[in-house]
Amino acid sequence: MEKLQFRRNRRLRNTNALRSMVRETVLRKEDFIYPIFVVEGENVKNPVSSMPGVYQFSLDRLAEEIDEVVELGIPSVILFGVPEEKDAMGTGAYHDHGIVQQGIRFVKERYPELVVIADTCLCEYTDHGHCGVVEGEKVLNDPSLELLARTAVSQAEAGADIIAPSNMMDGFVAAIRQGLDAAGFTDIPIMSYAVKYASAYYGPFREAADSTPQFGDRKTYQMDPANRLEAMREAESDEAEGADFLIVKPALSYLDIIRDVKNNFVLPIVAYNVSGEYAMVKAAAQNGWIDEQQVVLETLTSMKRAGADIIMTYHAKDAARWLEGK
């Protein structure tokens, strides 16, 4: 038999030390943003039934979660608010004493160095559950921009380090940037949900944030999952309007989009590992079908490999422990 000519690529896989030496993608706890749901009331720690291990916290119990996040070395959290009262204009989103504003103040007073990101949207605060002003059953773009800017300014005034608008209205980054600058917050960055698809993977989040639309869906403002080039248009618009980060949401079924955005833009790219992705892993793990630790770390690593600089994930606390060998 004639001698075969081939490369011996396995040479670099022979030992753990060798594999570590040539590893191309490294996952770190510093890569994580941990989402937290803050609710009104007292002594509240409500489990989110579709997201095992995730809870809604009232302000008087928020320290339990924040202390653990800081102890684990996770550098950033994003706060979502769940108000007791809602109205058509989502006034709780931009009220000085809204639940997110209170949560921001609490966290920054306790841990000034923790990076606190404010989710900037109206859907949790509107009685119709949509991300903007509604007329009949139509979500109005331009009237929504003023309210989003007001929300961003109120969050910055409360002490938010980063504003993260998630509403997908056209021009939302420009409106928020103008509003922040006019209020003297020129140094507050915008982490834009630049590429946000109308995804079925958001289901568990809507339980956690009490944000299910009361009519229709969000397909007139969130993106069609079938579209790829549209993502470039959305990201390009947000970059031009003043975004400082670009989020791709969801992450796992959109790794190709994360890579496209990374290849075409020089801003930091954030992958949002969303609630449905988290819930599926948790359900499979609880049934004994998968090794949760290995699947989670592999999944998060794939997001970094695809081009994400930062990962927003409900797995952050567990992943931080596993990366430290705990």
Side-chain angles (χ1 to χ4, degrees):
M1 182 176 178
E2 186 175 343
K3 186 176 182 181
L4 298 176
Q5 298 294 323
F6 56 88
R7 293 182 180 179
R8 294 193 179 274
N9 294 312
R10 290 178 55 191
R11 287 173 180 150
L12 300 184
R13 304 176 198 150
N14 280 332
T15 66
N16 186 55
L18 271 172
R19 291 190 295 272
S20 296
M21 182 182 294
V22 299
R23 185 162 295 139
E24 299 172 25
T25 304
V26 178
L27 185 68
R28 309 173 306 145
K29 63 185 179 182
E30 290 81 8
D31 299 327
F32 300 147
I33 299 168
Y34 184 59
I36 296 176
F37 299 94
V38 187
V39 300
E40 295 187 288
E42 296 181 356
N43 194 32
V44 177
K45 184 181 179 181
N46 289 332
V48 179
S49 63
S50 55
M51 300 176 69
V54 174
Y55 299 85
Q56 298 171 329
F57 290 91
S58 55
L59 288 172
D60 59 336
R61 298 196 63 176
L62 184 56
E64 300 172 28
E65 186 80 315
I66 296 298
D67 290 352
E68 184 179 12
V69 167
V70 171
E71 182 180 348
L72 289 169
I74 298 166
S76 178
V77 296
I78 181 167
L79 299 185
F80 297 90
V82 185
E84 286 183 343
E85 297 183 2
K86 305 186 179 194
D87 58 40
M89 302 298 285
T91 55
Y94 43 89
H95 195 287
D96 289 346
H97 297 288
I99 186 59
V100 159
Q101 287 79 358
Q102 293 182 62
I104 293 167
R105 292 188 186 100
F106 177 89
V107 176
K108 292 304 292 184
E109 287 172 4
R110 193 172 184 87
Y111 293 107
E113 297 305 311
L114 186 67
V115 177
V116 177
I117 304 167
D119 177 73
T120 306
C121 198
L122 302 177
C123 61
E124 298 104 310
Y125 306 91
T126 56
D127 53 14
H128 47 73
H130 280 284
C131 303
V133 176
V134 167
E135 185 177 88
E137 292 195 356
K138 183 177 181 180
V139 180
L140 303 179
N141 193 91
D142 295 8
S144 302
L145 298 180
E146 180 183 352
L147 300 185
L148 293 165
R150 288 177 62 182
T151 301
V153 170
S154 72
Q155 293 168 338
E157 289 173 342
D161 298 294
I162 299 173
I163 298 300
S166 59
N167 55 90
M168 287 298 284
M169 297 295 114
D170 291 338
F172 70 102
V173 173
I176 289 171
R177 184 73 272 160
Q178 183 182 76
L180 289 171
D181 291 352
F185 295 108
T186 56
D187 292 334
I188 298 294
I190 295 174
M191 181 180 285
S192 172
Y193 286 69
V195 181
K196 182 177 179 180
Y197 286 89
S199 173
Y201 284 99
Y202 303 153
F205 175 90
R206 291 173 182 170
E207 176 196 350
D210 189 24
S211 62
T212 302
Q214 297 304 298
F215 63 87
D217 53 40
R218 295 181 175 139
K219 293 180 180 179
T220 65
Y221 47 101
Q222 295 178 0
M223 291 173 51
D224 186 338
N227 291 356
R228 185 177 185 179
L229 295 179
E230 185 181 6
M232 298 303 101
R233 297 197 296 271
E234 289 285 359
E236 184 177 18
S237 295
D238 288 9
E239 180 189 48
E241 292 171 20
D244 301 283
F245 303 80
L246 300 173
I247 299 176
V248 177
K249 178 183 180 183
L252 189 55
S253 291
Y254 298 85
L255 296 177
D256 60 324
I257 306 301
I258 293 172
R259 173 46 58 186
D260 284 345
V261 175
K262 181 66 172 180
N263 287 345
N264 284 277
F265 301 92
V266 297
L267 297 178
I269 308 303
V270 184
Y272 196 152
N273 179 209
V274 300
S275 60
E277 297 167 354
Y278 174 88
M280 291 190 302
V281 170
K282 282 291 185 180
Q286 288 182 347
N287 278 285
W289 297 337
I290 61 170
D291 182 312
E292 182 178 1
Q293 177 176 338
Q294 290 191 36
V295 167
V296 168
L297 295 181
E298 180 179 340
T299 298
L300 297 179
T301 299
S302 77
M303 295 169 193
K304 283 208 70 178
R305 189 186 66 241
D309 301 290
I310 303 165
I311 302 172
M312 199 178 296
T313 179
Y314 304 96
H315 293 293
K317 292 193 298 181
D318 286 336
R321 292 188 189 96
W322 293 330
L323 290 171
E324 295 293 319
K326 298 179 181 178

